[in-house]
Amino acid sequence: PLPQTRLEYDCIVIGAGVQGSFTAYQLTKNNKKTLLLEQFALPHTRGSSHGQTRIIRKAYKQDFYTHMMEESYELWAQLERETGIQLYRQTGLLLMGPKNSQNYQDLKNSLQRNKVPMVLLTRDNFSQHIPNMKLIEGHEALVDITAGVLYADRALRSVQFQKLGGVIRDKEMVTNISPGPVVTVSTNAGVYRAKSVVITAGPWANKLLTNTGLQLPLQVVKINVCYWKEKVPGLYSMQQRFPCFILTEGEESSEDIYGLPSNEYPGLVKICYHMGSETDPDQRDKQTDKSDIDILQHCIRHCLPGLIPEPAVVESCMYTLTPDRHFVLDCHPTYSNIVIGAGFSGHGFKFGPVIGKLLSELTVGQVPTYDLSPFRITRFNTKTKSAL
């Protein structure tokens, strides 16, 4: 066997999904000698960052997310300029919810308070603006105009190629993290040493944290990513100006239902329930719960008459949920040179460039650009408001 290498780095980032890739990118930009480790061969579909599209939006109940998104939009645009690759397409986001729903009203108030460009729709003008869709009786609707689609797989590739001299090693699973002033990270292929380590391992966060004496209250769920066939091809496409949409809750659903215009599979529209059933990330497909599909079928029959209410394709994705659905962006409570980005709770992709910047700031000891109190580990002893 080859002798085990002992390489010295400023920083090691574990997990090359969207958050780890942007963190490594930012650290390398700050002239830190950075190693990005990934357990699977890249690109892969085993975590939470794969797939062609994600929604990007400023519509959030909490002002701190809306403010972070303002910078995130700028950083996505900067990455587009650097790479010459289109990563964002503006489609608008249609938000719908019961008139009397606190969730919907909070979102509407937040958009108005933060002066996000929006259009309030009425029952009368709804079908002019949104053809081939029905607004449920008793529901209200608005459009977050600057929202749209992020081309997720392209984004991940661009930022991984933009490492500016950092090192990416895939097919290397971390087997041990040994804390100290210099952290030792062992993989199935070698041993690396660094002044600091960032853990952005999605569903595998707690597995990696085991050796550091910390476990976070994270729940891993498997999401059924469902694609629904158009009765007339192109009916719900971007070309027909069909927007992304979020239905905040319905008679059958306590969580959001979200959808994106047909894009990755011609003639198929991605519509998903924003929740799933608990799963072990190493045996993801043992989880076969499909109860969410009944909820989606009900919604499609009532709201999207131009779709066949039977999923044509079902793919999988994992969410790593915190109890309050807010992220974890913090230093390890015992070892300040171990930084943790975790619990992105199914709404973190759009924040990637900002989260990379924040985790990089925590790693090099700069004052973070944002107040990170909603994202601290210490909050888990206390109750906080849930995120959308």
Side-chain angles (χ1 to χ4, degrees):
L2 292 168
Q4 291 208 317
T5 45
R6 295 185 78 85
L7 289 175
E8 302 289 337
Y9 288 91
D10 294 321
C11 309
I12 296 172
V13 180
I14 305 172
V18 63
Q19 315 301 358
S21 297
F22 270 108
T23 304
Y25 166 66
Q26 285 290 345
L27 287 165
T28 310
K29 256 188 161 168
N30 287 319
N31 298 315
K32 298 293 173 203
K33 188 179 175 196
T34 304
L35 171 65
L36 177 58
L37 292 171
E38 169 55 53
Q39 61 176 328
F40 302 121
L42 290 171
H44 70 80
T45 58
R46 309 270 293 274
S48 311
S49 292
H50 59 282
Q52 283 85 3
T53 52
R54 293 291 187 284
I55 295 175
I56 182 169
R57 61 184 161 110
K58 289 183 189 167
Y60 265 94
K61 289 189 279 190
Q62 292 85 2
D63 290 350
F64 58 81
Y65 284 128
T66 304
H67 296 159
M68 285 166 73
M69 277 313 301
E70 282 168 8
E71 184 181 11
S72 199
Y73 269 89
E74 287 167 24
L75 294 175
W76 281 115
Q78 186 186 317
L79 187 63
E80 284 188 317
R81 289 192 297 272
E82 281 177 27
T83 57
I85 297 168
Q86 185 187 11
L87 302 176
Y88 156 71
R89 177 147 174 185
Q90 186 173 347
T91 62
L93 170 72
L94 170 69
L95 268 175
M96 299 170 290
K99 273 193 186 73
N100 54 7
S101 140
Q102 197 58 54
N103 257 341
Y104 176 80
Q105 294 303 334
D106 286 350
L107 280 162
K108 178 167 133 183
N109 294 340
S110 164
L111 286 169
Q112 288 171 327
R113 191 170 58 242
N114 290 297
K115 301 185 167 52
V116 176
M118 63 181 271
V119 177
L120 290 172
L121 300 180
T122 63
R123 232 175 226 291
D124 302 327
N125 68 10
F126 182 84
S127 54
Q128 280 155 262
H129 284 276
I130 319 285
N132 306 307
M133 187 148 192
K134 291 197 164 94
L135 185 61
I136 299 169
E137 202 58 53
H139 279 222
E140 277 187 19
L142 61 83
V143 176
D144 169 351
I145 293 170
T146 55
V149 170
L150 280 175
Y151 294 118
D153 54 346
R154 272 185 221 174
L156 207 53
R157 264 203 312 274
S158 330
V159 77
Q160 284 168 349
F161 283 145
Q162 288 295 99
K163 274 298 140 1
L164 314 162
V167 182
I168 305 184
R169 298 193 63 128
D170 63 356
K171 304 190 283 280
E172 282 208 30
M173 185 190 285
V174 171
T175 52
N176 187 46
I177 299 171
S178 161
V182 172
V183 188
T184 305
V185 175
S186 310
T187 73
N188 54 359
V191 178
Y192 307 97
R193 289 158 56 81
K195 297 185 195 87
S196 52
V197 164
V198 184
I199 298 175
T200 45
W204 290 273
N206 271 336
K207 191 175 165 186
L208 288 176
L209 286 167
T210 310
N211 302 323
T212 71
L214 176 67
Q215 289 291 281
L216 298 171
L218 302 174
Q219 181 196 19
V220 178
V221 298
K222 175 181 158 181
I223 303 298
N224 291 316
V225 182
C226 302
Y227 294 86
W228 309 78
K229 193 170 167 50
E230 296 168 320
K231 293 175 181 173
V232 176
L235 201 59
Y236 296 99
S237 65
M238 293 179 191
Q239 289 71 29
Q240 292 292 330
R241 301 176 58 89
F242 189 71
C244 296
F245 70 86
I246 292 179
L247 178 62
T248 62
E249 66 249 80
E251 54 218 65
E252 300 209 345
S253 52
S254 51
E255 300 281 343
D256 299 344
I257 290 171
Y258 63 91
L260 296 88
S262 59
N263 172 66
E264 45 259 65
Y265 298 118
L268 300 184
V269 180
K270 185 201 289 191
I271 301 174
C272 312
Y273 190 50
H274 195 52
M275 190 48 178
S277 298
E278 198 150 4
T279 190
D280 169 352
D282 292 313
Q283 305 183 54
R284 182 191 72 188
D285 297 333
K286 272 192 168 173
Q287 174 54 265
T288 55
D289 183 15
K290 294 269 193 285
S291 53
D292 55 332
I293 292 179
D294 301 335
I295 296 171
L296 293 171
Q297 285 179 316
H298 182 265
C299 165
I300 284 162
R301 283 196 190 96
H302 286 77
C303 304
L304 294 141
L307 292 178
I308 297 168
E310 192 61 54
V313 175
V314 180
E315 295 177 345
S316 298
C317 183
M318 284 183 290
Y319 286 0
T320 308
L321 305 171
T322 58
D324 60 12
R325 306 295 192 262
H326 298 313
F327 315 148
V328 174
L329 305 170
D330 204 351
C331 294
H332 191 292
T334 318
Y335 311 104
S336 59
N337 60 345
I338 297 177
V339 172
I340 302 162
F344 292 100
S345 302
H347 67 114
F349 196 105
K350 67 184 91 65
F351 294 95
V354 170
I355 285 163
K357 191 175 157 195
L358 287 166
L359 292 174
S360 155
E361 288 167 343
L362 285 174
T363 306
V364 300
Q366 291 170 352
V367 177
T369 314
Y370 296 91
D371 169 17
L372 295 186
S373 50
F375 309 119
R376 294 221 174 93
I377 291 168
T378 49
R379 77 180 191 271
F380 290 125
N381 314 329
T382 58
K383 287 268 177 287
T384 45
K385 274 220 174 95
S386 164
L388 168 67

